[in-house]
Amino acid sequence: MKRLTLSLALLTVGMMSAPAFAQTIVKVGHALTMNSHTGAGTTAFCDHIESQTQGRYKCQQYPNSSLGGEREMIEAVQLGTLDVVSTSTGPVGNFVPEVKIVDIPFLFRDYDHARRYLDGPGQELLTKFPSKGLVALVWTENGFRHMTNSKRPITKPQDVAGLKMRTMENKVHMDGYRAFGIQPTPMAFPEVFGALQTGTVDGQENPIPVILAAKFSQVQKHLSLTNHVYSPSLLITSPRFMNKLSEADKKIFYEAAKKCAAAQRARVNEDENNGIAQLEKEGVSVVRKVDGQAFRDALREVYVSYSKEFGAENIRRIQEFK
Ligand code: EAX
């Protein structure tokens, strides 16, 4: 009798937790911790989908690069072994070349410029994805990138001369950084902490939210607020995944993507406001006054080659967007 009661109880619990309908798992991968701007974004995305579909869709999140680097996660989305990736544009230009234009250093003036451009004319770039086996749901955000290193404070290009710095696997960045005088060393994000720790590279560059989330304060002495490039992010899935959704569910996924961008940008704002003081508390010495003009001037020649690749008019149109 006791056993019967127990199995009845288990049965009831089982019935309560198992949904009465088929539940589709949505696998979502990203590079950082759950407690980061990226985690805030994917969580807002997942919450919206789960609540609006009454649990017909359920997310499984794979944070902390547990499925590999961003390039590998994008490949997994193309292959269909991962459903959604939240990724910086770092490796995206290797899949969708047109996107590389937004990775040009000193292209955007400030957050307002970048966000309004991407939400406006920048929507056109999202149409380039489906022919590459990808669907870009929304522009999210990584933030303005700053340099950190273990050697010296950086205020001007002369200070970075010869520094070995990890960069993303992004040719537009690498060309620009070489013009600054840096020795760029491309590397997938999961390897960066170790490379900084062992001294394989002297430094790296990333936005404040990433520097915080990845705990680079443990392995870097100096942070310079160089703001040398805006780093957009994207929430990416595949045509294969989208085509399985009903029209109504597609709408829910696009709404969820908007929630993702809003939550992610809100967390970037928060990290920008509080993160620098936090990093100082963790022992990082911060250079706030950087000779931005000298860094811009160092790019004069490489801007000629950017203009050849992307069209001077197209670059100007972004820079002058009000
Ligand atoms: O998306 O690779 C990078 O430096 C990125 O900024 C990081 O993975 C966050």
Side-chain angles (χ1 to χ4, degrees):
M1 185 60 200
K2 230 186 206 162
R3 198 172 293 158
L4 183 65
T5 320
L6 184 66
S7 44
L8 271 177
L10 284 175
L11 190 67
T12 318
V13 171
M15 276 167 30
M16 271 161 48
S17 57
F21 43 78
Q23 191 172 53
T24 305
I25 298 293
V26 184
K27 290 165 100 185
V28 182
H30 62 93
L32 300 171
T33 57
M34 288 309 298
N35 180 21
S36 66
H37 61 313
T38 316
T42 53
T43 300
F45 176 74
C46 291
D47 286 350
H48 188 79
I49 289 167
E50 289 170 9
S51 67
Q52 295 307 302
T53 65
Q54 285 79 41
R56 282 184 292 110
Y57 288 87
K58 173 136 189 56
C59 279
Q60 247 165 35
Q61 295 206 51
Y62 295 85
N64 300 316
S65 311
S66 56
L67 299 180
E70 293 184 328
R71 183 172 47 77
E72 289 166 285
M73 286 191 278
I74 297 168
E75 281 165 0
V77 168
Q78 273 182 329
L79 289 169
T81 53
L82 177 64
D83 298 315
V84 180
V85 57
S86 171
T87 176
S88 74
T89 51
V92 174
N94 300 324
F95 297 84
V96 185
E98 290 91 338
V99 169
K100 285 193 270 185
I101 191 169
V102 293
D103 292 320
I104 294 178
F106 294 117
L107 183 70
F108 294 105
R109 292 180 297 277
D110 52 29
Y111 279 105
D112 184 54
H113 179 199
R115 292 171 183 180
R116 280 189 311 102
Y117 181 81
L118 295 172
D119 292 349
Q123 294 296 299
E124 211 257 325
L125 282 172
L126 305 186
T127 65
K128 311 290 181 196
F129 284 70
S131 66
K132 310 295 177 190
L134 297 168
V135 171
L137 292 170
V138 72
W139 287 111
T140 61
E141 178 168 84
N142 208 15
F144 276 90
R145 300 178 82 91
H146 307 292
M147 298 174 193
T148 70
N149 83 98
S150 57
K151 297 281 185 208
R152 50 184 176 263
I154 293 167
T155 62
K156 53 190 183 306
Q158 284 86 335
D159 300 327
V160 302
L163 279 186
K164 224 173 147 190
M165 275 212 195
R166 177 270 175 173
T167 71
M168 298 201 284
E169 297 160 293
N170 184 301
K171 192 175 171 300
V172 173
H173 283 188
M174 289 170 69
D175 289 347
Y177 302 172
R178 220 175 269 121
F180 292 151
I182 289 170
Q183 250 181 276
T185 309
M187 197 183 284
F189 188 74
E191 293 163 47
V192 181
F193 190 94
L196 294 169
Q197 193 167 38
T198 56
T200 307
V201 290
D202 303 312
Q204 64 86 45
E205 43 80 57
N206 249 305
I208 299 295
V210 178
I211 296 171
L212 285 169
K215 302 216 177 306
F216 287 154
S217 62
Q218 294 177 1
V219 284
Q220 295 282 268
K221 239 202 207 104
H222 305 282
L223 162 66
S224 289
L225 303 180
T226 45
N227 283 298
H228 56 278
V229 68
Y230 176 77
S231 181
S233 287
L234 289 156
L235 200 62
I236 297 176
T237 179
S238 65
R240 181 204 318 235
F241 182 83
M242 288 309 279
N243 290 340
K244 282 190 294 201
L245 301 179
S246 69
E247 285 309 309
D249 287 345
K250 258 183 213 164
K251 212 173 137 241
I252 292 172
F253 272 68
Y254 272 105
E255 280 164 12
K258 282 213 173 114
K259 302 263 176 191
C260 169
Q264 193 157 332
R265 286 170 175 178
R267 179 61 189 266
V268 170
N269 290 347
E270 206 182 306
D271 285 352
E272 285 281 355
N273 289 336
N274 309 322
I276 298 166
Q278 175 65 31
L279 291 167
E280 278 177 323
K281 248 206 288 185
E282 292 168 10
V284 177
S285 92
V286 179
V287 175
R288 288 182 168 75
K289 259 193 85 135
V290 173
D291 188 348
Q293 195 52 50
F295 277 102
R296 274 166 217 266
D297 290 346
L299 292 182
R300 207 163 286 156
E301 249 172 62
V302 78
Y303 252 81
V304 174
S305 65
Y306 290 149
S307 298
K308 272 201 200 113
E309 184 171 356
F310 303 110
E313 192 44 47
N314 295 330
I315 297 174
R316 205 171 314 130
R317 207 175 298 131
I318 300 178
Q319 285 177 321
E320 291 175 358
F321 179 76
K322 291 272 181 312

